[in-house]
Amino acid sequence: MDNPEEKPLKPPATGVTIRAMRASDIEAVTAMLNLPGFRHGTLRLPYQSVEETRKRFESMPQGNVSIVAEFDGVPVGDAHLMRLQGRRSHAASIGMGVHDDFTGKGVGSALMQAIVDTADNWLDIKRLELTVYTDNAAALALYKKFGFETEGLLKAFGFRDGTYVDAYTMARVRL
């Protein structure tokens, strides 16, 4: 492959390929973001438009990483690494999600492996941070599998389906 940025990692049992997100993915990613299960684990509102997704993708600051897990030519998961600035340039925040039909099939692990590899081996990130709803058992298990530890509880962090929900702050620190 001529572009090392698009070199796929060893695919998991699901047969997905991890690659950089492209502008041509915007419609499929927007459809995924609007799925009820995907949205349930995020702060996203229902009915996100293609234009909103495109604007967020196009305004992503340099140095941040946006990837997708692709199956049969269609994105089935996405992840983002947002590097912090100044005296926190050693840290990055991450967010990710998996298509409702692909949860529990290794897609999240493949995305997380790619993000952790990029942070550790290409950007020398010492601290990866995230927030996760306390009731998202699958995400909590995934993050713990990759070395994330709970650092705090954020009460009434988000409003979802008519009620306030708590979240954990988690981090993976590599000194």
Side-chain angles (χ1 to χ4, degrees), residues 20-110:
M21 187 173 171
R22 307 186 269 242
S24 60
D25 296 325
I26 300 296
E27 287 190 31
V29 168
T30 302
M32 184 174 54
L33 297 175
N34 283 307
L35 292 171
F38 188 105
R39 186 178 60 245
H40 190 77
T42 72
L43 290 170
R44 298 194 185 289
L45 296 173
Y47 315 114
Q48 181 163 330
S49 71
V50 171
E51 292 76 25
E52 289 172 291
T53 307
R54 184 179 322 282
K55 184 177 179 180
R56 192 178 70 249
F57 174 72
E58 290 173 349
S59 66
M60 184 73 77
Q62 179 126 5
N64 290 353
V65 177
S66 292
I67 61 175
V68 296
E70 180 183 77
F71 179 76
D72 202 19
V74 178
V76 296
D78 74 336
H80 308 276
L81 181 146
M82 291 77 62
R83 188 155 198 174
L84 303 176
Q85 301 297 312
R87 290 175 32 181
R88 298 217 56 228
S89 62
H90 66 290
S93 174
I94 64 171
M96 63 180 294
V98 175
H99 189 290
D100 291 11
D101 295 339
F102 284 80
T103 59
K105 298 181 180 179
V107 175
S109 290

Side-chain angles (χ1 to χ4, degrees), residues 1-9 17-23 66-67 122:
M1 295 188 188
D2 293 335
N3 186 350
E5 176 181 316
E6 302 228 356
K7 182 179 178 184
L9 298 176
T17 300
I18 305 299
R19 62 168 174 77
M21 187 173 171
R22 307 186 269 242
S66 292
I67 61 175
W122 296 96

